[in-house]
Amino acid sequence: MSTNAEFVFSGADKGKNNNPSVIVIGAGVAGLAAAARLAESGVSVTILEARDRIGGRVFTRRDAATPIPIELGAEFIHGMAPEIFEALKQMNASDGAGAITEVEGDSWCVTDGRLAECGFFEQVDEILKKMDGGSPDEFFLEFLERCFPRPQDDQTKDAKNNTAKDDPELERAKRRAIGYVSGFNAADPALVGVHWLVQQMEAEERIQGHRSFRLVNGYSELIDYFRRRLESAGVSMRTESVVERVQWRRGRAAVTWRRGDGSDSSLSSQLVSAARVLITVPLGVLKAPVGERGAIEFAPALPAQKIEALERIEMGTAMRVVLRFRRRFWETIAASTSSRDKKTLGGMGFLFSDDEWFPTWWTTEPRKSPIITGWAPFRAGARLSGQNESFVIDHGLSSLGRLLQVSPAQLREEFEAAYFHDWQNDPFSRGAYSYGKVGAVEAQQGLGAPLEDTLFFAGEATDVSGNNGTVHGAIASGQRAAAEILRTTSTG
């Protein structure tokens, strides 16, 4: 690969502050974890972050009206992830932070307008277990149709029109499996690859991924933990610094950035150079066309193998809305159970449905609060993205009212506040989190591979352990990239 681009360093690229050993682009969890590891190893690090805050897609809001943290981004700790639990251990030892609760609660489903306890999990598991990482890779919908085709034999044909009849239970289980894959992964089931899904399931099994936890005081505690480490190590952190261009050759890179959101072209650009640059921006930003807000131009351009890797990984689409009410009104709602007894939703943890706007909801169980979160993945999220605040809130309330059979007037009377962030419409994320298409398992390694020991890459999309889309996957990728950089610094 030829990287003999002409280098031009302006007068701004002088002085100690402008000549770190490593520039980290992006102060999400991956960038923070990498910078902390590097700085604590004696490497001079500068972080450039486009937003006015650090944390990336970890975004905790506080409201004096409730002690419950409002998570607009990452909320759950999926399994006993060592990358997070080690941090929690250190946080607790230093200042008593990092307390967690395990997610609990009953799971309820709305099927054909009927509210009842969920009973589809085993069926979905049986379908997903049929996926084989050793067989040729294929898209998830292709796998479903190949392994669970609609009945075509003569015995199942309708006598009246001589056409094959569907198996209602099988078709319902397939819809649930599609809903799970698109909901949990924010993925298009027609694009997500089977090998990638298998890798993810195997990674979950290794860390008890069936268990989930929350930080009592919010994910921002993890960000504060990294912030303290960076401050102690003397890392230079520049927020509201939008990177526009990375000019590079072996052993040297110059990063052009602009103050603010980049929308004011009258603001002069600035230049900082280093021997190594670590790019940790989300996949959606890496794939953004040059010239659009948040996009980064590389000169010379990224090589073909890196572009091919980018094309095999997609950014998932999802919208979430957090609704706060005067009280936990769902505690008084009764539903039918398998024993024909009436049971209230007082212990509801999750609510699943086929709703076209918000098919999944969850409460703060085991903490009792009048807060419930709606999750709109894939097509539902795409329909909501870019809409105004009232549109999202109205559809959230309407969805919840339909599912719980609560009148709009009653719901509005109970309603107090709503919170959400449009990650798809955010130029510095351009989506929720990544998922892999066919061939993505190999592509992830290619996406994270260094270029000429000069450009390095981290972020949840580059994780190769099957933990894409998770905070611990992002941390692991940052630690991996930091180790790669440290190896190059030790060898000159």
Side-chain angles (χ1 to χ4, degrees):
M1 178 185 63
S2 174
T3 60
N4 295 321
E6 181 182 0
F7 253 56
V8 179
F9 293 101
S10 71
D13 184 39
K14 293 181 180 179
K16 181 178 180 180
N17 291 335
N18 282 323
N19 286 280
S21 298
V22 177
I23 299 168
V24 176
I25 302 176
V29 175
L32 298 177
R37 172 80 179 276
L38 291 168
E40 289 166 354
S41 299
V43 177
S44 173
V45 179
T46 289
I47 299 178
L48 299 176
E49 165 57 44
R51 295 184 174 93
D52 60 359
R53 61 176 181 83
I54 66 174
R57 285 167 283 168
V58 172
F59 189 11
T60 306
R61 279 193 59 183
R62 309 287 174 183
D63 189 326
T66 175
I68 302 293
I70 307 298
E71 300 290 12
L72 301 181
E75 177 173 349
F76 299 105
I77 300 171
H78 298 283
M80 304 287 290
E83 294 84 1
I84 291 184
F85 276 81
E86 180 58 35
L88 297 179
K89 182 179 177 181
Q90 295 180 25
M91 290 160 62
N92 189 265
S94 63
D95 59 9
I100 61 173
T101 58
E102 186 160 4
V103 175
E104 298 176 359
D106 303 322
S107 293
W108 292 88
C109 285
V110 176
T111 305
D112 298 327
R114 180 176 175 270
L115 179 63
E117 291 180 296
C118 294
F120 67 85
F121 297 112
E122 290 185 5
Q123 292 174 310
V124 171
D125 284 343
E126 288 302 313
I127 289 177
L128 297 181
K129 286 177 182 177
K130 295 289 186 181
M131 295 190 299
D132 184 3
S135 299
D137 203 359
E138 59 187 330
F139 298 115
F140 180 70
L141 285 189
E142 292 178 340
F143 152 78
L144 271 186
E145 293 309 312
R146 180 177 60 81
C147 291
F148 304 94
R150 293 188 174 187
Q152 298 293 327
D153 59 272
D154 292 337
Q155 293 180 347
T156 61
K157 285 185 178 180
D158 187 288
K160 184 176 182 180
N161 55 27
N162 201 38
T163 58
K165 295 188 298 183
D166 290 338
D167 179 344
E169 288 299 319
L170 175 60
E171 292 306 310
R172 187 177 295 113
K174 287 165 63 175
R175 288 198 304 272
R176 291 296 189 190
I178 292 170
Y180 171 79
V181 167
S182 61
F184 188 75
N185 302 290
D188 182 342
L191 289 180
V192 65
V194 165
H195 285 189
W196 182 86
L197 289 169
V198 169
Q199 183 191 53
Q200 182 192 63
M201 291 169 57
E202 291 173 348
E204 290 174 356
E205 289 179 4
R206 291 192 291 268
I207 59 171
Q208 301 180 51
H210 62 283
R211 302 173 65 187
S212 294
F213 307 84
R214 291 187 184 94
L215 277 154
V216 172
N217 294 317
Y219 246 126
S220 59
E221 278 199 327
L222 183 66
I223 303 305
D224 290 339
Y225 160 74
F226 282 117
R227 186 201 306 271
R228 290 192 296 272
R229 287 178 60 185
L230 296 172
E231 289 174 350
S232 297
V235 171
S236 173
M237 182 108 60
R238 298 175 178 175
T239 56
E240 297 185 274
S241 301
V242 182
V243 171
E244 298 179 330
R245 192 168 191 260
V246 177
Q247 187 179 4
W248 64 285
R249 57 173 166 75
R250 173 181 282 275
R252 203 67 183 163
V255 177
T256 303
W257 58 280
R258 191 184 301 274
R259 293 294 300 172
D261 63 5
S263 60
D264 187 349
S265 60
S266 66
L267 295 176
S268 61
S269 60
Q270 301 188 50
L271 197 70
V272 60
S273 68
R276 296 162 184 86
V277 174
L278 172 57
I279 298 99
T280 73
V281 298
L283 177 75
V285 175
L286 273 181
K287 298 180 76 160
V290 173
E292 292 192 3
R293 287 188 62 205
I296 299 174
E297 177 186 7
F298 291 89
L302 296 177
Q305 60 266 35
K306 189 75 71 174
I307 300 300
E308 182 180 350
L310 282 170
E311 291 174 350
R312 291 183 180 273
I313 308 173
E314 286 294 326
M315 199 65 165
T317 301
M319 283 282 284
R320 61 188 290 164
V321 61
V322 184
L323 302 179
R324 177 166 58 82
F325 296 93
R326 291 192 304 107
R327 61 187 181 90
R328 287 165 50 87
F329 66 88
W330 53 88
E331 288 185 325
T332 61
I333 297 175
S336 299
T337 66
S338 56
S339 62
R340 296 179 181 268
D341 296 328
K342 292 292 184 180
K343 181 178 180 181
T344 73
L345 305 187
M348 180 174 67
F350 284 84
L351 176 65
F352 301 100
S353 74
D354 292 324
D355 187 81
E356 63 177 337
W357 291 101
F358 287 94
T360 302
W361 292 85
W362 61 78
T363 68
T364 58
E365 287 286 339
R367 298 178 75 180
K368 303 294 184 182
S369 78
I371 290 175
I372 188 166
T373 298
W375 181 249
F378 184 37
R379 288 196 180 98
R383 285 195 297 267
L384 290 163
S385 180
Q387 301 291 343
N388 59 40
E389 180 177 339
S390 62
F391 185 93
V392 176
I393 296 171
D394 288 346
H395 279 79
L397 289 170
S398 297
S399 169
L400 187 61
R402 280 194 303 274
L403 297 176
L404 298 183
Q405 298 181 7
V406 177
S407 71
Q410 181 183 347
L411 210 57
R412 280 288 178 182
E413 183 179 346
E414 300 284 356
F415 175 69
E416 287 191 336
Y419 319 83
F420 72 94
H421 182 81
D422 189 345
W423 295 102
Q424 284 70 232
N425 219 31
D426 183 332
F428 307 127
S429 61
R430 294 174 175 263
Y433 44 84
S434 70
Y435 67 90
K437 299 195 293 188
V438 170
V441 173
E442 297 79 13
Q444 287 161 340
Q445 189 158 357
L447 182 60
L451 295 176
E452 302 276 4
D453 286 342
T454 304
L455 298 188
F456 297 80
F457 298 84
E460 52 86 10
T462 72
D463 177 71
V464 296
S465 65
N467 293 305
N468 310 105
T470 67
V471 174
H472 56 275
I475 294 174
S477 75
Q479 294 171 340
R480 181 260 309 154
E484 292 170 344
I485 293 171
L486 289 172
R487 283 196 293 270
T488 67
T489 59
S490 65
T491 58

